[in-house]
Amino acid sequence: MTDRYAVIGHPVAHSKSPLIHAAFAAQTQQVLSYTRLEAPLDGFIDSAAEFFVMGGNGLNVTVPFKEQAYAFANVLTERAELAGAVNTLWLDDEGVVGDNTDGAGLVRDLQRHLSLAGLRILLLGAGGAARGVIGPLLDEEPGQLLIANRSAAKAVALAEQFDEPDLLQGCGLNELPAQSFDLIINATSASLAGDSLPLPATVWQADGLVYDMMYGKQETAFLRQAAAAGVQCRLDGLGMLVEQAAEAFFLWRGVRPDTAPVLAELRAGL
């Protein structure tokens, strides 16, 4: 019987995961099926449980169910524990395992362009998207990681959860220090609404890198804001999407696909 995988979310019709995993499977000669599974907003647990009872092998989890997937898993990886959310589920002898591949996906995409060691990094936002990438960013030994959020208290509380006071701090957007950053990552949803962020001019570095976890056919509002500030290297989150999927594929199948041609195909199709 063909191994079965799916992406579960609400809504999920827009998800590119089936295209990505079909490309990975063809590239690596893996025989599997991968579909979309839309669960009711109040029905994630039932939908995920039924998928596995009916012989499913693994699920990718997208919004708004990553926290529910964390509670659903019988076993959590260290990455999932740190993130407080799960985006990848699969079965093993102990039951349903939950992992979070978002941070690994971000780091792999960034490493196409620069080494993170020693960098001054500004992470914008203190929600689930930000929390999911802090651990993998810290693993790369940056020189500084500052979380900035509209609510300073939320940023400070998130930083304190990782117990790295010499390296990781939190502050409000209106409390940013008068310094530039080598790497600025937008983990807020501002670009979805086409909004810019209230950032002082001092944060931008012309030869630095700016990254928005959102993506689209055109540059996001945040990347346009960075361009106006003179930043030359600007990346959106499509690469992160492909890389986090590759990490999940590796966990499921034990083989790591080549992401470059898949990313190029997706980019051309936007």
Side-chain angles (χ1 to χ4, degrees):
M1 192 166 103
T2 302
D3 289 348
R4 294 173 49 232
Y5 301 90
V7 55
I8 184 170
H10 185 103
V12 80
H14 66 286
S15 174
K16 298 186 184 301
S17 292
L19 299 175
I20 295 170
H21 284 274
F24 289 164
Q27 180 193 112
T28 58
Q29 292 83 51
Q30 297 287 303
V31 179
L32 56 87
S33 71
Y34 191 107
T35 57
R36 297 178 180 90
L37 175 58
E38 181 150 334
L41 287 175
D42 60 353
F44 169 78
I45 298 296
D46 289 343
S47 297
E50 181 182 12
F51 176 83
F52 285 113
V53 167
M54 297 301 292
N57 298 85
L59 286 170
N60 287 133
V61 184
T62 187
V63 292
F65 297 132
K66 292 183 181 182
E67 287 76 21
Q68 291 184 55
Y70 179 90
F72 175 73
N74 303 116
V75 181
L76 294 167
T77 67
E78 182 179 357
R79 293 188 299 199
E81 288 275 17
L82 284 171
V86 159
N87 76 340
T88 305
L89 296 165
W90 71 94
L91 282 176
D92 76 359
D93 294 339
E94 296 182 78
V96 178
V97 182
D99 198 356
N100 190 305
T101 66
D102 284 333
L106 172 65
V107 167
R108 283 184 181 276
D109 195 33
L110 287 169
Q111 287 174 333
R112 297 174 189 271
H113 305 273
L114 79 175
S115 168
L116 301 181
L119 295 190
R120 295 164 300 176
I121 302 175
L122 173 61
L123 178 62
L124 301 171
R131 179 170 176 165
V133 303
I134 291 171
L137 286 172
L138 290 174
D139 288 343
E140 298 303 312
E141 300 183 349
Q144 176 189 15
L145 180 54
L146 179 63
I147 306 167
N149 190 58
R150 292 183 189 274
S151 164
K154 191 172 181 182
V156 171
L158 179 57
E160 289 175 346
Q161 291 178 29
F162 288 81
D163 196 26
E164 293 275 1
D166 295 333
L167 182 60
L168 176 64
Q169 294 88 35
C171 71
L173 288 177
N174 61 348
E175 300 170 339
L176 281 163
Q179 70 169 82
S180 65
F181 292 86
D182 305 302
L183 171 62
I184 303 176
I185 302 168
N186 178 29
T188 76
S189 59
S191 287
L192 287 177
D195 296 334
S196 60
L197 289 168
L199 301 174
T202 50
V203 302
W204 309 106
Q205 187 170 298
D207 61 350
L209 190 152
V210 168
Y211 194 101
D212 195 342
M213 290 188 187
M214 303 298 167
Y215 67 89
K217 186 175 181 64
Q218 308 297 328
E219 278 202 324
T220 66
F222 179 71
L223 295 183
R224 293 195 301 272
Q225 183 180 358
V231 181
Q232 300 300 307
C233 189
R234 307 179 300 275
L235 301 173
D236 69 15
L238 190 64
M240 177 180 172
L241 175 70
V242 175
E243 293 292 348
Q244 64 81 26
E247 183 74 5
F249 191 88
F250 174 73
L251 292 170
W252 291 337
R253 310 301 295 182
V255 59
R256 189 173 294 281
D258 180 4
T259 54
V262 180
L263 177 56
E265 181 181 346
L266 282 184
R267 181 73 67 190
L270 286 179

